[in-house]
Amino acid sequence: MAKAQKQTRSNGETTRAKILDAAEVLFGARGFDAVSLREITVRAEVTLALASYHFGTKEKLFEEVVARRAKILSDDRLARLGTLKNPTVETVIDAFMAPIFERACSTDPGWSDYFKVLGRLGEGNQWLGVLDAHFNETVQTFIECLCEVLPNADRADVTRCFMMMLHLMLSTVSQHERIDQLSSGALKARDLSAAYRPMLNFVVAGFETVVK
């Protein structure tokens, strides 16, 4: 009996993962509204009933897609922040941005799809609750730290700079190919390793200008 229960649980976890993987690809490529639950189940090769059983609604499935990798990123960011002895603007920003770039450069294609999903979260106010539930606590920790290393900066300015950084970071890891066009192919959106240092320098300089 125990073996049967273990097998059933294993099958259920496999099914959940297949649905989440399929949803991640489709939501990243086309956005929430343009994708149906049926399309997701067809890609995952499971029944519509199983998707409803595991996630209930498409909205809940979308949140689970976001949540699945959000904890990995948050844990990594906070761990890096915790190792800083004498934090500076650069080391704090690096602790926040490096985890996302390292995973964007990994061989796991799921991360690339995931970052496209994250990029869409900022397109409107529909998903503010999801952002609050899975990202805001960590973001607030970093904002607090930046205010400490920039004691003469207004917190409102630091927060605005952080928002600008988030948009720039997500646009970059989403590998939007406008830069390929603007550079006539000399630069590649997919070359995230080359993009990281210029972006880090740019962001750090931006934060440092808010000091009064």
Side-chain angles (χ1 to χ4, degrees):
M1 182 66 175
K3 184 176 180 180
Q5 289 177 334
K6 183 177 180 181
Q7 182 63 38
T8 300
R9 185 164 55 251
S10 176
N11 290 342
E13 291 171 354
T14 298
T15 299
R16 276 181 60 86
K18 287 172 65 177
I19 296 170
L20 286 167
D21 288 345
E24 193 171 60
V25 172
L26 293 174
F27 285 145
R30 292 159 49 196
F32 177 81
D33 292 330
V35 177
S36 70
L37 202 55
R38 184 173 297 280
E39 287 177 289
I40 293 169
T41 57
V42 168
R43 184 180 181 92
E45 299 181 333
V46 301
T47 65
L48 189 60
L50 279 173
S52 298
Y53 171 77
H54 285 287
F55 300 101
T57 65
K58 189 173 75 162
E59 288 80 4
K60 183 60 178 175
L61 172 57
F62 185 84
E63 181 170 0
E64 288 292 325
V65 168
V66 174
R68 181 170 61 156
R69 298 184 193 264
K71 187 177 187 319
I72 297 171
L73 288 174
S74 293
D75 288 349
D76 192 356
R77 285 166 166 163
L78 292 172
R80 293 178 190 231
L81 187 66
T83 65
L84 301 181
K85 303 290 186 187
N86 298 294
T88 64
V89 174
E90 180 172 335
T91 59
V92 172
I93 295 300
D94 182 59
F96 187 85
M97 293 201 311
I100 206 170
F101 272 80
E102 288 174 4
R103 284 165 177 81
C105 293
S106 74
T107 57
D108 179 357
W111 281 106
S112 178
D113 295 319
Y114 181 70
F115 296 137
K116 291 174 184 175
V117 173
L118 292 191
R120 293 182 179 278
L121 288 178
E123 293 176 352
N125 295 325
Q126 182 179 3
W127 304 108
L128 289 178
V130 173
L131 288 168
D132 184 35
H134 302 290
F135 290 102
N136 283 5
E137 184 176 353
T138 298
V139 167
Q140 292 291 359
T141 298
F142 275 83
I143 289 175
E144 289 288 347
C145 190
L146 286 166
C147 287
E148 290 174 9
V149 300
L150 292 168
N152 296 323
D154 186 273
R155 183 186 177 90
D157 289 336
V158 173
T159 302
R160 288 186 185 280
C161 285
F162 207 96
M163 276 299 302
M164 294 173 194
M165 178 195 71
L166 289 175
H167 285 293
L168 175 61
M169 180 182 66
L170 291 174
S171 174
T172 303
V173 296
S174 295
Q175 300 180 39
H176 193 283
E177 295 181 357
R178 181 83 188 279
I179 195 169
D180 299 52
Q181 294 178 329
L182 293 175
S183 66
S184 299
L187 300 176
K188 301 294 183 184
R190 65 176 180 271
D191 190 359
L192 296 177
S193 296
Y196 185 72
R197 174 48 64 175
M199 194 179 79
L200 179 61
N201 292 342
F202 181 83
V203 170
V204 169
F207 271 95
E208 291 178 341
T209 63
V210 304
V211 178
K212 296 179 180 178

